[in-house]
Amino acid sequence: MLLAAVVCSVGIYASSAIAAHAARSEGVARRKWGIVRITGISRVEAVETKDGRRLPADIVLVGAGADPESSLIADVDPGEGGGLEVGGDLKLADGVWIAGDISAFPERASGETARIEHWRLAQQHGTHVAHAILDRSGVFAGAPFFWSNQGDKRLDYGGYAKGFDRIIVQGDPSALDFIAYYVTGDRVTAACSIGRNSAFTAFLHLLGLGSLPSAAEIEAGADLPTLAREAA
């Protein structure tokens, strides 16, 4: 999941607000210029754009993406999303479990097959598999979770929403103070938030327990922190 996709899902105003905040607090300028060339002798000196600009640069960071290394397992073809499809216990075959980026697993809250690229989930998978090897665990029920720091603000995302019918927004995205719940039918399967740590942490806890209220209850103002304390 890309941060841009997550933020734009709650409205372009949130994306614009994050960009404006970063510019104010960190001196960050965001530009949509097509890059044609990185130039320099023995080290990077400049970046050239499609419209003829030459931008002096000491450092260039390139986000090139990655492909899952699913060919590690012989004679098993990856699924549509590039991962190796496993059961709810993350088991591929007797004595073989798949964890992390290459695992296409049944995500419990959404009911979708998910392949998620983030070290936090890989850590959760690894813990589950270690218990499984010791015959101490069943179905993986951990709630996926990642975050992105934007200047002095942090965006949190939990759950899994490959698709959704609507979004419940509480707070003000333009002020970078909100929590947004992704709804399919009457189920909330994911949330993203800035500045609503108490509600988001409670959401993540309840999601992992399978005790999250319905979308209608959340929209009506369900007190998630209280429910999470009672469920602990």
Side-chain angles (χ1 to χ4, degrees), residues 16-96:
S16 299
I18 285 178
H21 177 80
R24 289 193 303 270
S25 62
E26 303 291 333
V28 176
R30 301 191 180 196
R31 301 289 186 265
K32 295 182 179 180
W33 292 326
I35 304 300
V36 295
R37 190 176 296 107
I38 298 173
T39 65
I41 299 173
S42 76
R43 66 175 183 82
V44 63
E45 295 177 2
V47 174
E48 297 179 0
T49 67
K50 288 182 178 178
D51 62 359
R53 300 172 190 264
R54 187 177 188 277
L55 309 175
D58 297 312
I59 298 173
V60 175
L61 177 64
V62 178
D67 291 323
E69 187 55 87
S70 53
S71 61
L72 290 171
I73 308 298
D75 301 323
V76 179
D77 294 327
E80 183 179 345
L84 301 177
E85 295 188 5
V86 298
D89 56 358
L90 306 183
K91 183 179 284 189
L92 179 69
D94 287 342
V96 180

Side-chain angles (χ1 to χ4, degrees), residues 192-213:
C192 73
S193 172
I194 296 178
R196 298 289 176 109
N197 293 340
S198 178
F200 179 80
T201 301
F203 161 81
L204 204 63
H205 181 65
L206 293 168
L207 186 70
L209 292 175
S211 302
L212 195 67

Side-chain angles (χ1 to χ4, degrees), residues 168 170 213-225 227:
I168 299 169
Q170 296 175 350
S214 68
E217 290 171 317
I218 289 175
E219 194 164 25
D223 186 344
L224 298 191
L227 292 174

Side-chain angles (χ1 to χ4, degrees), residues 87-88 90 105-114 116 121 125 138-144 159-160 187-189 203-212:
L90 306 183
F105 68 99
E107 199 279 317
R108 188 178 72 167
S110 66
E112 299 275 1
T113 297
I116 300 173
L121 184 70
H125 277 181
V139 173
F140 176 73
Y160 185 74
R187 292 184 303 119
V188 173
T189 63
F203 161 81
L204 204 63
H205 181 65
L206 293 168
L207 186 70
L209 292 175
S211 302
L212 195 67

